[in-house]
Amino acid sequence: MTDTTFESVLPRLQEALLRKGVTIPPWRATAKERSDFAFAVARVLAEERLLPSGDARTVASDLASRMMGLGILEPFLRKEVVEEIIVRQGAVLAWHASRGHIEDTHIRAPDTYFYALAQRVAEMGGKPLRAANPFVLVDLPDG
């Protein structure tokens, strides 16, 4: 999914999910909760006719994963070789201490996505992100 598609579809999808009473799973959602949410996203995309393409399942999975937990950063939490995740100008970089260098992951998202993600993570940690305090230190699940 392109960033343009994501930016145009996500606000309408979120509005439709709220209207239909579908909630984003909690921070430490189970695999079933994540799967159920992805299914609900696919259903709402189809019902609301939000996508021009026929590949709603792939797009729904991508959108659902971007809205849950750490979104597109979540897979890096499971990689033991990744010590730090860096987001710079919409690009995701990963620091591999064992390799001694930073790698471009080739994952891109708009700055608005990362700002919303940072706000959500900060609030889940009980430390709201504000202009007066543009950074926070939050312990993520599993340390």
Side-chain angles (χ1 to χ4, degrees):
M1 170 186 312
T2 66
D3 289 344
T4 305
T5 303
F6 175 76
E7 286 181 25
S8 69
V9 171
L10 185 62
R12 294 181 296 153
L13 173 63
Q14 289 173 320
E15 181 181 309
L17 289 169
L18 284 171
R19 205 173 50 249
K20 293 176 181 285
V22 177
T23 58
I24 297 173
W27 182 259
R28 296 178 184 180
T30 65
K32 181 174 181 350
E33 289 171 316
R34 289 174 176 271
S35 175
D36 290 349
F37 180 67
F39 180 77
V41 167
R43 188 186 74 240
V44 170
L45 284 170
E47 289 172 356
E48 299 286 321
R49 301 180 200 277
L50 294 175
L51 292 177
S53 72
D55 195 11
R57 181 177 289 169
T58 301
V59 173
S61 178
D62 185 30
L63 284 165
S65 70
R66 287 183 181 216
M67 289 189 278
M68 292 184 286
L70 284 182
I72 60 176
L73 302 180
E74 186 91 20
F76 297 104
L77 294 180
R78 295 185 198 97
K79 294 183 179 180
E80 290 186 22
V81 297
V82 174
E83 295 244 341
E84 190 169 338
I85 303 166
I86 304 159
V87 176
R88 185 175 298 142
Q89 297 175 338
V92 178
L93 309 171
W95 167 252
H96 297 269
S98 61
R99 298 180 194 156
H101 67 279
I102 295 174
E103 288 183 4
D104 185 345
T105 65
H106 303 287
I107 294 174
R108 304 287 186 270
D111 288 339
T112 54
Y113 170 78
F114 287 116
Y115 184 73
L117 177 62
Q119 283 184 311
R120 191 170 78 236
V121 169
E123 288 170 4
M124 288 177 174
K127 303 172 184 177
L129 187 66
R130 296 197 170 87
N133 186 27
F135 57 90
V136 294
L137 179 59
V138 175
D139 290 329
L140 298 174
D142 302 328

